[in-house]
Amino acid sequence: MEGLLAQLIIIGAKILVILAVVLGLGAYLTLVERKVAAHIQRRPGPMVVGWHGLLQPLADGLKLITKEDIFPRSGNRFLYNLALVLALVPAVLVFAVVPFGPEFEVFGLKVKPILTDVNVGLLLVFALGSMAVYAIALAGWASNSKYALIGSMRKAGIIVSYEVVITFAVMGPIILAGTLSTYEIVQNQIEQKLWYLWVQPIAFVIYLFALLAETGRVPFDIQEAEAELVTGFTVEYGGIKFGLFPLVEWYVEVLSLSAIGVVLFLGGWSPINIPFVGFVDPLFFLGPLSPFVWFVLKVGLLFLFVLWLHWTLPRYRIDQITETAWKVMLPLTFVNLVLTAIIAPIVWR
Amino acid sequence: MPWAKEEDFIELKKRFSSLEIEVKPTITNLHISKSELIELLKALKEEKGYKLFIDHSVVDFPDKSPRFQAFYILYNVDERKRIVVKTWTDGTLPSIEKLWFAGKWAERECYDMFGIIYEGHENLVRAFMWETYQYHPLRKDFPLEGYANDYLPSLNEVLWGDNLQGLMNYDKMHTPVPTLEDLEITEKKRLKKKAQLVLNWGPLHPGTHGTMWFLFDLEGERVVQCDVILGQLHRGVEKLAENEMYNQFLVYTDRMDYISALCSNQAWVVAVERLLGIEDLVPEKAKYIRTMMSELQRINSHLLWLGTYALDIGALTIFLYAFKEREKLMDIIEGITGARLTISYPRVGGVRMDLPEGALEVIKAFVKRFPKELKDWETILSRNRVWLRRNTGVGVVNREDVYFYGLTGAVARGSGIPYDIRKFEPYDAYPWVEFDIPVGENGDVYDRYLVRLEEMRQSLRIIEQCVSKLENMPKSAPFFAESPDPKKLKIPLDGIGLKVPEGEIYSSGENPRGELGFYIYSTGGVKPYRVKIRPGSMYNLCVYPKLMKDRVIADAVAVLASLDPVVGEIDR
Amino acid sequence: MIKKVFERPLSWLERIFFIDFIKGLSVTIRHAFSKTITTHYPYEKLTPPKRFRGFFGHKVVDGREPQPAFDEWVERFKIDVQPGKSRCVVCMLCKRACPVPQLFEIEGEKLPNGRRRVSVFNMNMMLCTFCGFCVDACPVDCLFQSDIHETASYTRKDSVLDLNTLERIGRDWQKRREQEPDRIWIDDQQRMRLWYENDLTLPEVKRK
């Protein structure tokens, strides 16, 4: 009985932490993006609200919540609201299987900083990613507008193609690690003293492009192309409903997918790795907090890299995006699988 | 002067009985009767090589019979000669749609403004006004203020006891205003729906460069037909020109192509100077200043084009980098002329004021740093695989299309024809500076992009030469013309009393967007009788429906941005 | 004279190692660590140059009129000259030179001592194109353009400048900026923030 109560309390605490961190961080990442974009463009960005703009997300959130909720006259209200729920929930649920650090002890209980350590964790991630298609198709259809329909059809086509690509791309690390559970993949990388990035460069690059396509970031953001479709399938949404779509797509999904990318390719919470030799930890002075800091640092760096790409590159056309997915990236993943099968015995030793 | 001589047309006189050749110092006219018009135009196009269509319009003489005089301006690119074909009509004309497609749009405009019916035209609809509009505005019996028949009291709402006295009162009766039903009728008459859905792109859209209204007939993502509805920014500049003095009209020329205002000003001022015959009286300093400012404005305009083009394709930072350099250019222009957008700095006879202290140093500092910035942007864009994939092979214009659609400017140069008015008919200081004309090979969007980037570098060359010339001129050199005989010919700085003798002229200047031409018909006095403005952007836009056939919507932005239209010039 | 422009297609090495992306990214990151160039309006403002064409003003009689033109025009129209009041001689040349003459409303009145004076001078800024033809036409250097450019107002009446407003703007301009030399701009800090990368050194101009 006591053990069950303790377990429930721990799980409750983990859920609260994850929800708070993800949603709060999502809002503040809008400020980070605006500041980074502004400095790339030689201007300061938000500076008025709070010191150097730190309270800007609060101001934005307040403004969006108090705006009028416009609804097109002949749209489908139930599907219109359902689309939003279907977009938000799977994106946040992915964080249930992301491991933040190694197992630690508190008050005599062993706690793993991961919400649920199912042994098919990765399968859950990609299943939840596929649910995003429903949200987009429903949002475009329920808006009853030509622009929204075209935008949502484009985006749905892209997501379906890149789901296939991403699934094949991650088969490489799965073979090398031998398990689908995210916690154990990181542990295997630490045991084998090898970040899978060094032996799977092709898969990493393809995973990165598929991340950009799934979340609708440049060069694959044909959906939000202002010059043609003026925000695409979200064109008939107003107020906080409009604010939640980019929050989910651009920030929460990028965070979750880059966390999975760090877990798969960059060794999770391990410090800097010299292949086959060992680990070097410049942050050793932080003691037991060091793995968590390394994880956050790696996810942050990957996010900043995605931002950097967004504000530099132009965007592809819709038929070029799907063409690249099926004709270029998918064959490369097969080549990667063959190569992995060859070098796997060396890694397993 | 590139006007054709009489000897070229001797054998044509034998074939056409009503042909009369009139050669004046400012223009060469071929007068022909209406029945032989199409034959003569065909002969000129196919046998004599006058393939490029420049313009077509009509002059209204209400007390003569027949009433309208129609004119067609044609150009021979190989021999660099220009000719004007004129005919008289009472209200109908044969259509030249089969000879030049650009004529179709010119004829729509004449039908709209004068009420001339064209036989053989495929879809004779109004060009700028809505379909149910009853009048023809450019006729001489249409008053300048229009017919105020609609009741619109809302313009005079009174707030807080505001006493509407004097200059601020608006009349309750207003000239006709279109309603939503009128706009729907216009849309239906323009495009007959053949495929799945008709998408309205515009008139209020961030992607079209201004208020243009495109209609796409879509089958999935592929465009089956496309058409353009213009006239959302029509302000009646040609009607206003008949009421303004020659110098006062300068203000309207800035507001047509508002992005390259100085080049439009210069084209108008040079046209009036050529009509007066005082081109040699304009002092050297004024010519160099006008050339230098025009080239600065050309760089300014191309930077705006580059910024919005990259923004539409997705490279969002280039927009802000281009505008950083544009800020510097506008600071320079503001320091010299006093305004940033609507400039009116040249005058008939010179410029308004001399250069201030420090202007040449600032321009030199700008010119030194600018090539480095251009190189940075080229690193981001020109060899980027996404950019190449998006732009090569899209929107291809071949050489015959250039003649058939009347294309000029960077669009013609991207397809391999070195058509540049600064070399063909030089004005101001252009005969004395050295520069190259960039010419592309394939005629796709990427070539036009490269041509415009190279034009920016050539403009820098011209500016450097002008600056070194201006530095060596004495401070007291004159910047405005001195009339040799003030009793016979007055050239005032403020333009009051500038009388132009009887005559007509067509003169054009090289705008960054194409060829901006002015056809001025003067019957003596201080105000012109008819001014026809040949907009480069309008004839560049008429190739758009052909380029968009069987393409995806995503190409619509790329092709439109590469043609670089400005609605102020198209709609006037 | 004619220069052919073309670009080579991408080579295989560039394609595999994404060299084109990397070059673009290096340019962007270099800009991200440079100084910002914008002016934080309305907390910081730029000063317009001397030739700026903003709102209008009438210069007042203070002994610095252009002679002999002023005396000639005063005698031709028999104007009553008062120090501290506008220099206008009611010649109507500004109205003739303007592209939109309806914006001017000019009237003169006859004083008891037989001389004339300007009594009404209204300029409707909602119709004005700010071209400066009227300034060129004025023969006594009375009408001029100042640097006032923040002109938003709540009522239509505020955009009509009457004689008192014009004189006020003129007096303020003559005190504040008329003695400035004819230089391309003032070197204030905001402008230098935009131009610092061009290594600009403007020569000093001797004040008159």
Side-chain angles (χ1 to χ4, degrees), chain B residues 88-126:
Chain B
W88 287 90
T89 174
D90 240 335
T92 62
L93 273 178
S95 166
I96 58 167
E97 181 186 39
K98 299 288 181 300
L99 293 173
W100 289 283
F101 186 87
K104 188 169 173 179
W105 282 32
E107 288 171 355
R108 275 184 183 168
E109 186 184 336
C110 285
Y111 165 63
D112 190 8
M113 293 288 134
F114 288 95
I116 304 212
I117 312 283
Y118 287 91
E119 299 139 2
H121 191 111
E122 181 228 357
N123 189 12
L124 193 64
V125 292
R126 282 185 176 260

Side-chain angles (χ1 to χ4, degrees), chain A residues 40-41 146-147 154 315, chain B residues 198 200 221 313 317 320-321:
Chain A
I40 290 181
Q41 294 163 357
K146 289 177 198 165
Y147 279 108
R154 284 181 176 179
R315 66 171 75 98
Chain B
V198 172
N200 273 323
E221 284 249 348
I313 305 262
T317 37
L320 281 144
Y321 292 159

